[in-house]
Amino acid sequence: MVRVDGEGNGGGLIRVRHLDKKYRRGSEEIDVLQGLNLDVEQGEFVAFMGPSGSGKTTLLNLLGGLDLPTSGSITVAGDEITHMSAAKLTAWRARHVGFVFQMYNLIPVLTAFANVELPLLLTRLSKAQRRRHVEVALGVVGLLDRMDHYPRQLSGGQEQRVAIARAIVADATFLLADEPTGDLDRKSADEIMELLGRLVREHGKTILMVTHDPRAAERAGVVLHLDKGALVEGSAAAGIPA
Amino acid sequence: MRFVGLVWANLARKKLRTTLTVGSFAVALFLFGVLVPIRGAFSGGTDVAGADRLTVINKTSLIMPLPFSYRDRLLGVPGVAAVTFATWFGGVYQDERNFFPQFAVDKDTWFDVYSEYVVPKERLAEFLRDRQGCLVGRSLAKRFGWKVGDRIPLRGAIFTGAWEFNLDGIYDGKRPDVDTSQMLFRYDYLEEQRQFGKGTVGWYVVKLANPDDAVRVAAAIDDGFANSPYETLTQTEKAFAASFAKQMGNIGLLVMTIGAVVFFTLLLVTGNTMAIAVRERTGELAVLKTVGFSDLGVLGLVLGESVLIAGQGGALGLALAKLFTLGGDPTRGMLASFYLPWSSIGLGFGLALLVGAAAGALPAISAMRLGVVDALRRV
């Protein structure tokens, strides 16, 4: 159950309370997020929508521990991340968060296999174990036969699938996807959304996604709109209960 | 080790740039590898001088002789194990440009004192039998294509006249840095043939029973000959070689200066290359941090690239320099020895790694400090 009223019982996977984020541009202070509350349970697929500059990506960065809030708290799987040191936050991110970006952000000099293996290099897994994990992840996204290809040898949709494999390979607690279909044609975008939906349905993954695309948002179980720095519930897509 | 693949992949990203940077290191370290033997050659044997030997020269000047009669008095000084002597000959072989040092030495004691010279037993025996005999170093023989049995004519410059010698043998050094560019012939032949200076020698070399006694024995020798017509100046062979080398100017400082300039330039070139490399992949570094690479991890990756470039270039340059020096003195006789010791190769490699680390430090620190959110926004 996704809640934005701050009344959740705290038993969910993600719990955000009174989150404020201000930016300073010159002498001007901009309130991007104001008193934002959010509760997300394991296995939810949440889409954030809103106009440009509404703070969607900022929210994603805060949830992923890439940025720190001005005030408020974020608790993920029992870990309060807003007061963690930078080093602890990095380690926490490696263990709990899988990121999917609009521009895929694969390392161009590494093969699909090596790109997916990147998060595992930080673990204590042996080479053989890492190989098995990568093959499973690439199998889930249907690119096992492309593991030796470089990003330039893949289509946009394939690159995004490799990026998703990289996000799931270390069995992250939840995935954060920032406009995952923003740079894809309709067909590829549908395939990516189908893949993300399958990760939720079949693998129990929790996904929080920012998108401008209503068709992509329809695939999510819950659509939340960012309005004046706070979240407002939208319509739930069919098929996945919110 | 698990990150080596990532470092390699980044180096392979711009092959031409990486090759040129590795090449810069290779050229610099090749230069280092050639300058070291040149410095060694011009140090006049300072590095190879025996710690257990003293050189006794005329206090007035090296070119002033000492009486032959001093030999027995030197042998009587407590702490002296052996004494030998030599005289600079200064002959010309065919043409002035064919310079090489020639010394008239005491046939019976020279090789006892200079044990680092290796002469085959039968060749030494022949030298001892043959009054007109001479021994030449391996590099000198190679320079002029001499072989045992050849007659070597010299035109005397100090001791005038035509002199002829039989090449009885070729000596080698026990170590690669021993000077093998010299010609040694018998003092008794010089004494017999010369028109002046009979009964004198150029300088004495004293072998100590105990190297720790060097100061005491040197003082005893000089005190013993004080106020005589031939006062002496006794110093360790190392000090003697160093003062002799100084006559040619401070080659060591010159070489060090050239080396320092080259390494500093290399630092700037590599630093600039690494800075460009880091700036080009700001987004990728941000992605690495996003997936969990720590700030120190990113610092290590960038430093690793820089050090790997330096290591490859350094190894290549030093290997080429070693091969070059194995070919012998490229000046055909200007350099007494031309040898690149392994210790200098180690030093050069260490310097290369140090320059690599220093050059990569600033770009690595900027990569370490990179803010993920800002960097991702720029992708």
Side-chain angles (χ1 to χ4, degrees):
Chain A
M1 178 80 175
V2 175
R3 299 187 68 140
V4 295
D5 56 5
E7 299 296 321
N9 61 10
L13 179 70
I14 299 169
R15 182 171 182 267
V16 180
R17 288 294 178 269
H18 314 298
L19 196 69
D20 284 350
K21 180 66 185 177
K22 298 182 200 306
Y23 282 118
R24 185 166 279 284
R25 188 182 296 153
S27 59
E28 188 186 4
E29 199 168 65
I30 301 164
D31 291 319
V32 182
L33 302 176
Q34 299 174 68
L36 186 144
N37 294 306
L38 176 67
D39 288 272
V40 178
E41 290 184 5
Q42 173 83 36
E44 302 269 14
F45 189 176
V46 183
F48 298 112
M49 297 192 77
S52 293
S54 61
K56 304 184 296 296
T57 298
T58 299
L59 176 59
L60 228 54
N61 288 340
L62 292 169
L63 291 172
L66 294 177
D67 202 356
L68 291 173
T70 308
S71 64
S73 69
I74 301 171
T75 308
V76 179
D79 294 328
E80 219 284 69
I81 65 169
T82 42
H83 299 301
M84 282 185 183
S85 66
K88 269 193 172 176
L89 203 52
T90 301
W92 173 85
R93 205 159 55 226
R95 205 169 60 247
H96 291 290
V97 194
F99 287 91
V100 180
F101 304 96
Q102 178 180 353
M103 300 305 295
Y104 334 127
N105 287 359
L106 299 179
I107 309 288
V109 291
L110 298 180
T111 61
F113 181 94
N115 265 290
V116 176
E117 191 189 22
L118 273 178
L120 299 181
L121 294 178
L122 303 164
T123 67
R124 293 185 177 184
L125 294 176
S126 68
K127 195 174 178 181
Q129 288 172 319
R130 293 202 304 271
R131 182 165 194 89
R132 274 198 299 278
H133 278 71
V134 173
E135 285 174 355
V136 168
L138 282 171
V140 168
V141 301
L143 283 179
L144 206 47
D145 58 335
R146 294 280 199 276
M147 66 162 70
D148 294 325
H149 286 56
Y150 287 89
R152 64 176 180 277
Q153 298 168 314
L154 301 171
S155 68
Q158 287 172 328
E159 281 195 74
Q160 193 60 296
R161 282 198 273 160
V162 173
I164 291 170
R166 182 177 66 189
I168 63 174
V169 72
D171 197 21
T173 307
F174 65 109
L175 305 189
L176 295 175
D178 191 356
E179 300 273 12
T181 59
D183 201 47
L184 298 175
D185 58 48
R186 186 74 266 158
K187 182 170 175 292
S188 300
D190 286 343
E191 285 171 1
I192 291 300
M193 290 315 300
E194 172 56 30
L195 174 60
L196 292 177
R198 201 150 48 79
L199 289 176
V200 175
R201 288 192 306 272
E202 296 174 13
H203 299 274
K205 290 290 172 198
T206 306
I207 300 179
L208 291 90
M209 173 182 74
V210 162
T211 184
H212 273 113
D213 181 0
R215 280 187 64 171
E218 275 176 17
R219 299 272 191 157
V222 178
V223 180
L224 300 176
H225 288 271
L226 257 170
D227 185 32
K228 292 177 184 163
L231 285 170
V232 180
E233 263 188 277
S235 60
I240 304 169
Chain B
M1 284 305 288
R2 55 181 59 197
F3 300 107
V4 171
L6 188 55
V7 172
W8 271 117
N10 280 322
L11 289 180
R13 175 187 303 260
K14 302 268 185 187
K15 290 191 178 68
L16 180 63
R17 183 166 69 197
T18 302
T19 305
L20 289 174
T21 315
V22 168
S24 306
F25 268 95
V27 169
L29 269 295
F30 176 78
L31 188 63
F32 172 86
V34 173
L35 286 175
V36 165
I38 290 174
R39 178 180 170 274
F42 278 97
S43 71
T46 306
D47 297 337
V48 295
D52 61 346
R53 291 195 291 253
L54 298 177
T55 304
V56 185
I57 62 172
N58 191 306
K59 191 177 180 182
T60 308
S61 165
L62 173 61
I63 60 170
M64 301 298 287
L66 290 170
F68 179 72
S69 58
Y70 276 21
R71 185 183 64 166
D72 292 342
R73 288 180 63 185
L74 287 169
L75 279 169
V77 174
V80 171
V83 174
T84 191
F85 53 85
T87 296
W88 175 264
F89 182 65
V92 175
Y93 176 65
Q94 295 175 341
D95 189 287
E96 269 85 358
R97 284 174 297 185
N98 293 335
F99 170 80
F100 59 89
Q102 306 117 25
F103 301 109
V105 301
D106 180 28
K107 64 179 173 48
D108 296 317
T109 55
W110 185 262
F111 293 101
D112 295 335
V113 174
Y114 284 95
S115 54
E116 64 265 41
Y117 287 29
V118 180
V119 188
K121 223 173 187 177
E122 71 281 6
R123 295 291 100 216
L124 184 60
E126 182 60 28
F127 177 65
L128 295 176
R129 267 196 304 273
D130 178 10
R131 184 181 282 263
Q132 270 189 289
C134 74
L135 299 169
V136 301
R138 179 73 60 192
S139 66
L140 181 61
K142 191 178 167 192
R143 178 181 168 195
F144 294 112
W146 290 337
K147 54 190 183 304
V148 172
D150 284 355
R151 291 280 285 177
I152 301 174
L154 294 182
R155 190 173 72 249
I158 302 169
F159 305 104
T160 52
W163 296 70
E164 288 212 355
F165 302 91
N166 303 319
L167 180 49
D168 289 337
I170 294 169
Y171 73 82
D172 290 289
K174 263 187 189 164
R175 300 184 308 271
D177 49 0
V178 171
D179 183 358
T180 57
S181 69
Q182 302 172 354
M183 172 182 173
L184 307 172
F185 66 95
R186 288 172 48 159
Y187 172 80
D188 52 354
Y189 179 49
L190 174 72
E191 188 67 0
E192 181 187 272
Q193 298 290 322
R194 66 179 166 180
Q195 303 300 313
F196 69 95
K198 285 184 184 289
T200 63
V201 303
W203 63 90
Y204 287 97
V205 180
V206 169
K207 187 170 187 177
L208 298 166
N210 181 355
D212 295 340
D213 289 340
V215 175
R216 185 188 58 77
V217 173
I221 291 171
D222 291 343
D223 289 348
F225 296 114
N227 301 315
S228 75
Y230 295 94
E231 288 190 312
T232 59
L233 172 64
T234 306
Q235 52 196 334
T236 61
E237 195 172 66
K238 200 177 182 76
F240 173 72
S243 65
F244 190 80
K246 269 188 186 165
Q247 294 174 19
M248 294 182 218
N250 199 338
I251 301 293
L253 179 67
L254 183 68
V255 168
M256 290 290 285
T257 305
I258 294 171
V261 169
V262 168
F263 275 102
F264 184 68
T265 309
L266 196 60
L267 186 72
L268 297 181
V269 168
T270 314
N272 186 47
T273 305
M274 289 309 298
I276 292 170
V278 166
R279 205 159 46 237
E280 279 175 353
R281 48 196 164 100
T282 300
E284 289 174 33
L285 293 171
V287 170
L288 290 181
K289 288 190 172 190
T290 304
V291 300
F293 279 70
S294 65
D295 290 345
L296 280 177
V298 170
L299 176 103
L301 281 179
V302 177
L303 269 186
E305 285 176 37
S306 185
V307 169
L308 199 59
I309 285 176
Q312 287 181 91
L316 178 66
L318 289 167
L320 290 174
K322 183 68 182 172
L323 279 177
F324 183 70
T325 55
L326 286 177
D329 175 10
T331 63
R332 295 180 53 81
M334 287 289 289
L335 305 172
S337 67
F338 193 67
Y339 170 71
L340 177 60
W342 287 106
S343 59
S344 295
I345 290 176
L347 174 70
F349 192 66
L351 274 175
L353 296 183
L354 200 66
V355 170
L362 279 180
I365 289 170
S366 81
M368 181 182 78
R369 290 181 175 164
L370 187 72
V372 182
V373 174
D374 288 338
L376 284 175
R377 211 173 278 152
R378 278 182 263 157
V379 175

